[in-house]
Amino acid sequence: MCKGYFISGNDTNVGKTIVSAILVKKLNADYYKPIQCGKNEFSETDSDVVKKLCLNANIIPETYFFKDSVSPNIASKKIKKRIYVKKILEVKKKNMKKKIIIEGAGGLQVPINNKFLISDLVKKIDLPLILVCKTSLGTINHSLLSIELIRNKKINFKGIIFVGKNIIETIKTIESFGQKILGKKIQILGNIPFKKKISSKDIINFGKLLKI
């Protein structure tokens, strides 16, 4: 039985946190954001957002929080605090009594420290990866590069969730070329519309759009 998923994106600000909240609600899962860099315009962390949208969910505190909205390796260097992957893995191990949704920082090739990238953390956490992709301009290149990385690193890949307008040509292009790169069929798990203001009710409704 799958014990959860790791959520990453083909870029930053593509909707990973909203997708994470949807999956937390739909799967009755815990939420864990190991590394948080900065807050949103409302002074909220991603954990705050998920807690607000999934009122009864168990939110596991961030292992590392940095005030600057920059790459984790840069943010940690600024305050001379090293990020240890081992510490993150220990937190994950202690919180596997039920399903868990783990959200990464930025995209797959964002550095964590001088040695590891988010993609390395995905491998070590050993949960199936869900890639969140926008449907707007630029997503084809970013998505296919991410899929190529997934293949090269032999990451356990569950599939893609798109966020934005349902642009069929774009989605089909990513699916078709992604399959050629990966060497097998890619699961399109759903398409979530973009909304500036999202309610708890939206989270439930959006969950119905996902095949998971």
Side-chain angles (χ1 to χ4, degrees), residues 66-111:
F66 305 102
K67 66 177 183 178
D68 292 331
S69 299
V70 293
S71 179
N73 66 311
I74 298 172
S76 60
K77 189 176 181 180
K78 282 186 175 184
I79 63 169
K80 298 179 180 179
K81 182 176 181 179
R82 181 173 172 80
I83 295 173
Y84 292 96
V85 169
K86 184 179 178 181
K87 192 172 180 181
I88 294 171
L89 297 178
E90 287 172 354
V91 173
K92 179 247 183 181
K93 188 176 180 180
K94 290 177 182 176
N95 290 276
M96 293 301 292
K97 293 179 181 178
K98 60 184 290 190
K99 286 189 176 181
I100 186 170
I101 300 299
I102 299 180
E103 181 184 349
L108 286 169
Q109 290 299 74
V110 168

Side-chain angles (χ1 to χ4, degrees), residues 113-124:
N113 51 36
N114 292 334
K115 183 178 180 182
F116 293 110
L117 303 157
I118 288 291
S119 55
D120 298 314
L121 182 61
V122 176
K123 288 282 288 183
K124 289 183 175 295

Side-chain angles (χ1 to χ4, degrees), residues 18 40 93 114 192:
I18 298 305
N40 65 17
K93 188 176 180 180
N114 292 334
I192 304 301

Side-chain angles (χ1 to χ4, degrees), residues 133-194:
C133 301
K134 60 184 180 180
T135 59
S136 54
L137 189 64
T139 193
I140 293 175
N141 179 61
H142 291 164
S143 299
L144 296 181
L145 284 172
S146 296
I147 292 167
E148 186 170 17
L149 173 73
I150 288 166
R151 182 201 65 191
N152 291 342
K153 288 202 169 184
K154 299 180 180 178
I155 290 171
N156 182 2
F157 185 35
K158 175 64 177 177
I160 297 174
I161 294 175
F162 287 98
V163 176
K165 293 180 180 179
N166 186 20
I167 305 175
I168 300 298
E169 295 89 348
T170 296
I171 293 172
K172 288 295 183 183
T173 298
I174 292 170
E175 183 179 15
S176 174
F177 279 89
Q179 182 171 322
K180 291 177 183 178
I181 292 168
L182 200 61
K184 61 181 180 180
K185 183 176 176 60
I186 290 179
Q187 290 193 63
I188 306 301
L189 304 173
N191 188 175
I192 304 301
F194 173 79

Side-chain angles (χ1 to χ4, degrees), residues 10 27 39 50:
N10 70 346
L27 303 176
K39 296 184 178 183
V50 175

